[in-house]
């Protein structure tokens, strides 16, 4: 895929930003006041980087290979060379959600120590930028970490499932199965999001469907 612009290097890993990444955060600027949108954007960026560096760490430990991180419209990608064994591929894929859950748990603990209200409430703490940041961090990493485990490409759950299917069915058949499953999961996500009145989630689900229609062989 197009990597976009090189925006920095962290722990020896180059970080690129594709222009489509601004679609992810730009949606919120249309619906919230600028100060809250800026906090939200910072929380999204930090969460995506922590998630992707979970993959980076797994690639280094299991494959002893370099990788890059690309920020794009569905969050981030960790791109590396080589074809890992199915077990290693699954571990690399699942390390991202694991880091997300750890970051969400850290935000929750900090909220419990510093704020009068628990972060799991559906509304953020009133009048506290720190509280709002921690609330966003908790919910982004809890929800996005769980969503990433859905069995659809290019999500991490889809990557892990495809690795398992390839070991049992072979690459061509597994990839065909994953395309059908990914499209079905994406369509179901759009329908569920619209049913519950979540337009942003429906938008992301639609991007998931389009990505699989465009590039059914996508690999991270």
């Amino acid at each position: 895929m197009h990597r976009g612009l090189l925006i920095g290097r962290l722990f020896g890993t180059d970080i690129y930003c594709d222009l489509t990444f601004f679609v992810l955060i730009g949606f919120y600027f249309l619906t919230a006041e600028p100060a809250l949108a800026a906090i939200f954007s910072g929380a999204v960026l930090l969460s995506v980087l922590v998630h992707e560096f979970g993959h980076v760490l797994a690639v280094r430990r299991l494959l002893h290979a370099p990788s890059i991180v690309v920020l794009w419209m569905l969050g981030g990608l960790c791109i590396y060379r080589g074809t890992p064994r199915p077990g290693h591929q699954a571990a690399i894929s699942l390390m991202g959600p694991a880091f997300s859950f750890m970051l969400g748990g850290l935000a929750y603990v900090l909220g419990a120590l510093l704020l009068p209200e628990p972060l799991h409430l559906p509304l953020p703490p009133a009048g506290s930028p720190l509280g709002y940041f921690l609330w966003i961090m908790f919910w982004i990493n809890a929800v996005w970490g769980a969503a990433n485990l859905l069995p659809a490409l290019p999500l991490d759950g889809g990557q892990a499932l495809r690795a398992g299917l390839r070991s049992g069915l072979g690459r061509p058949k597994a990839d065909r199965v994953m395309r059908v499953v990914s499209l079905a999961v994406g369509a179901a996500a759009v329908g569920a999001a619209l049913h519950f009145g979540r337009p942003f989630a429906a938008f992301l689900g639609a991007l998931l469907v389009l990505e699989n229609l465009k590039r059914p062989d996508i690999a991270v």
Side-chain angles (χ1 to χ4, degrees):
M1 67 171 293
H2 185 261
R3 296 180 180 181
L5 300 175
L6 177 64
I7 61 172
R9 186 174 177 86
L10 188 62
F11 303 120
T13 299
D14 289 336
I15 303 171
Y16 295 83
C17 184
D18 188 79
L19 292 179
T20 57
F21 181 70
F22 296 101
V23 174
L24 179 65
I25 60 176
F27 185 92
Y28 201 71
F29 275 90
L30 299 176
T31 59
E33 60 184 77
L36 295 182
I39 294 175
F40 176 84
S41 299
V44 167
L45 179 59
L46 177 58
S47 299
V48 169
L49 287 176
V50 168
H51 179 103
E52 295 307 319
F53 271 85
H55 297 311
V56 169
L57 177 62
V59 169
R60 287 182 181 176
R61 295 296 299 272
L62 296 176
L63 304 182
H64 307 288
S67 57
I68 64 169
V69 169
V70 179
L71 306 177
W72 71 313
M73 63 182 176
L74 286 177
L77 292 172
C78 173
I79 301 176
Y80 56 91
R81 294 186 181 275
T83 304
R85 299 196 303 268
H88 284 175
Q89 176 63 74
I92 291 168
S93 299
L94 297 177
M95 189 62 76
F99 269 51
S100 292
F101 291 136
M102 287 190 290
L103 183 58
L106 176 60
Y108 190 86
V109 170
L110 290 176
L113 294 174
L114 301 175
L115 303 174
E117 298 176 313
L119 294 179
H120 62 262
L121 295 177
L123 295 176
S128 171
L130 175 61
Y132 182 72
F133 175 76
L134 292 175
W135 182 82
I136 288 291
M137 289 291 291
F138 169 71
W139 280 107
I140 284 178
N141 288 282
V143 173
W144 188 241
N148 251 294
L149 294 176
L150 290 173
L153 296 172
L155 302 179
D156 296 321
Q159 298 285 347
L161 177 58
R162 183 173 64 177
L165 290 175
R166 282 178 173 177
S167 67
L169 302 177
R171 186 184 184 106
K173 188 173 182 179
D175 290 354
R176 290 195 296 270
V177 170
M178 279 309 305
R179 184 186 187 191
V180 174
V181 171
S182 297
L183 290 172
V185 170
V190 172
L194 292 176
H195 176 74
F196 289 104
R198 300 287 187 239
F200 187 52
F203 173 72
L204 293 179
L207 290 178
L208 189 66
V209 171
L210 291 174
E211 188 64 27
N212 279 278
L213 287 173
K214 182 178 66 173
R215 300 191 323 183
D217 60 339
I218 186 170
V220 185

